[in-house]
Amino acid sequence: MSCSAKWRKSSFSGNGEDNHCVELLIADGKIKLRESDAPADIITTTPGGLGTFIRAAKAGTFDYLTQIV
């Protein structure tokens, strides 16, 4: 990973202690995602894989996961 690589978070996220968010890092052709309050837990994917996931989420593919049983 490059020394100049820097984790990014949404500009909609605040800067306070309770403003946890997903952070993103692009390095070596891969995309790394982590939760700001658990930075050691990192998910690595490809740009294509992340794009597929985002399109599926927008289409409602995962909505059933939010339903209370």
Side-chain angles (χ1 to χ4, degrees):
M1 188 179 333
S2 170
C3 296
S4 63
K6 182 176 180 181
W7 287 95
R8 296 179 179 202
K9 68 177 186 173
S10 170
S11 60
F12 292 102
S13 297
N15 293 321
E17 285 186 28
D18 293 334
N19 294 318
H20 304 299
C21 63
V22 173
E23 297 176 321
L24 181 128
L25 173 72
I26 300 172
D28 302 323
K30 303 285 186 191
I31 297 175
K32 297 176 184 283
L33 303 161
R34 70 180 184 184
E35 179 68 27
S36 61
D37 63 339
D41 299 330
I42 299 171
I43 296 172
T44 302
T45 188
T46 62
L50 182 59
T52 298
F53 174 78
I54 291 170
R55 283 189 297 279
K58 285 182 175 182
T61 302
F62 309 114
D63 288 354
Y64 73 95
L65 296 171
T66 62
Q67 297 173 0
I68 298 174
V69 179

